[in-house]
Amino acid sequence: MSTRLVLFGPPGVGKGTQAALLQQRLRLNPISSGDIFRKEIEAETDLGRMATRYIERGELVPNGVTIEMMAKRLRQDDVRQHGFVLDGFPRTVKQAEALDEILLKMDFGLTKVISIEVPDEVVLHRLAGRMGCTKCGEIYHREDKLPKREGLCDKCNGPLFVRADDQPDTIMERLRVFHETTEPVIDYYLKSGLLQRVNGTMGPEETYAQIVSDLIHVMSEVS
Ligand code: AP5
Ligand code: MG
């Protein structure tokens, strides 16, 4: 049976880090709405040009185009066969409702929604120090997860970069948008009984252990 997870939480909580661990260790299929937007921006598509105006300001890209983009991605064959770990989608109640509709049409449901939770000051520290690999996407931190060679990825030697939206003002705006617009999505999933709350203040391994212990429990109930 394929696993269909949502990783939910504020900017910088570690969604991308956990999605990468779930991919490496459980072969789950990560789908990040932010990464798809960044690829569109890099390829200078119309969607990318439109999205960049919102992303640079730390605001959400409008629901219509975001839902359309994610629906297209979710209908691809790999999703049907292997499931997914959604990272960064849904981020509004409208997107959560749209996701349910998309999955219903595919005869699917969600396995679990994992809400990773930390105080705002932890987010600020994590985002202010984040670096990512331009080639493979591996995520680093200038204090907590240093690469072995400065500025270069341990895995693929690719150069590291700092995301344009990881500037202090933009980080504050992303956090504000999270509390105002995205946090209410938690209530949506609380009602469905799918929500698992995870304490994200510890290291990546401890966070991963919480996610997986509950996930294995759910999978054994289903099978
Ligand atoms: P997106 O790319 O989704 O960014 P985000 O949600 O702001 O989250 P981040 O990628 O910044 O953080 P993360 O949780 O993945 O943390 P990470 O693992 O990197 O979205 C970007 C923009 O695109 C949005 O602002 C919006 O404009 C647009 N967008 C995207 N989706 C959209 C949607 N659905 N609707 C509308 N607009 C949308 O970790 C961060 C740092 O912390 C790293 O340095 C890492 O090494 C470190 N770290 C991670 N975990 C730990 C840990 N447990 N302990 C210590 N350090 C840790
Ligand atoms: Mg991310």
Side-chain angles (χ1 to χ4, degrees):
M1 201 197 98
S2 62
T3 306
R4 293 174 292 272
L5 299 181
V6 171
L7 288 181
F8 183 87
V13 75
K15 301 182 295 295
T17 300
Q18 293 304 319
L21 291 175
L22 288 162
Q23 179 182 32
Q24 285 156 23
R25 297 175 187 177
L26 298 184
R27 302 274 162 245
L28 300 185
N29 185 14
I31 301 179
S32 154
S33 46
D35 283 351
I36 301 177
F37 280 131
R38 283 184 285 278
K39 279 189 189 131
E40 295 283 338
I41 292 169
E42 211 183 305
E44 298 183 354
T45 63
D46 287 346
L47 173 59
R49 271 187 282 276
M50 193 276 277
T52 199
R53 298 204 301 270
Y54 295 92
I55 294 175
E56 272 175 1
R57 294 199 296 254
E59 291 167 11
L60 294 184
V61 180
N63 280 327
V65 278
T66 303
I67 290 167
E68 195 184 323
M69 176 182 87
M70 294 307 286
K72 197 169 143 198
R73 178 66 189 90
L74 287 165
R75 289 191 196 111
Q76 288 172 3
D77 281 350
D78 60 326
V79 169
R80 210 168 259 292
Q81 285 167 22
H82 305 297
F84 54 76
V85 180
L86 280 175
D87 157 6
F89 181 88
R91 255 173 150 101
T92 63
V93 172
K94 255 215 148 46
Q95 292 181 13
E97 289 166 353
L99 176 62
D100 279 350
E101 278 173 33
I102 296 163
L103 295 180
L104 193 69
K105 282 188 191 144
M106 297 169 79
D107 255 340
F108 282 162
L110 286 171
T111 310
K112 205 108 197 113
V113 176
I114 297 153
S115 168
I116 311 175
E117 302 181 356
V118 299
D120 286 359
E121 55 270 25
V122 175
V123 162
L124 295 175
H125 169 79
R126 288 185 185 172
L127 286 183
R130 173 168 60 183
M131 301 174 290
C133 175
T134 47
K135 275 164 98 182
C136 73
E138 182 72 6
I139 303 165
Y140 296 88
H141 190 278
R142 69 174 91 258
E143 287 170 17
D144 304 337
K145 190 185 171 197
L146 279 165
K148 293 194 183 77
R149 288 152 307 154
E150 201 183 324
L152 291 177
C153 178
D154 295 347
K155 291 202 166 162
C156 74
N157 265 334
L160 303 185
F161 80 112
V162 174
R163 260 170 52 179
D165 58 348
D166 280 350
Q167 302 305 319
D169 286 356
T170 321
I171 293 171
M172 293 308 289
E173 178 61 8
R174 285 159 65 199
L175 261 176
R176 191 193 65 74
V177 169
F178 172 77
H179 290 305
E180 194 176 294
T181 311
T182 304
E183 229 167 11
V185 178
I186 289 187
D187 291 335
Y188 182 87
Y189 286 121
L190 259 181
K191 285 180 204 141
S192 68
L194 289 171
L195 192 75
Q196 176 197 357
R197 290 180 186 268
V198 164
N199 173 358
T201 57
M202 292 171 286
E205 290 299 339
E206 286 87 347
T207 306
Y208 179 79
Q210 291 177 67
I211 292 172
V212 168
S213 67
D214 201 72
L215 187 60
I216 287 168
H217 176 66
V218 171
M219 298 307 294
S220 64
E221 272 179 6
V222 172
S223 60

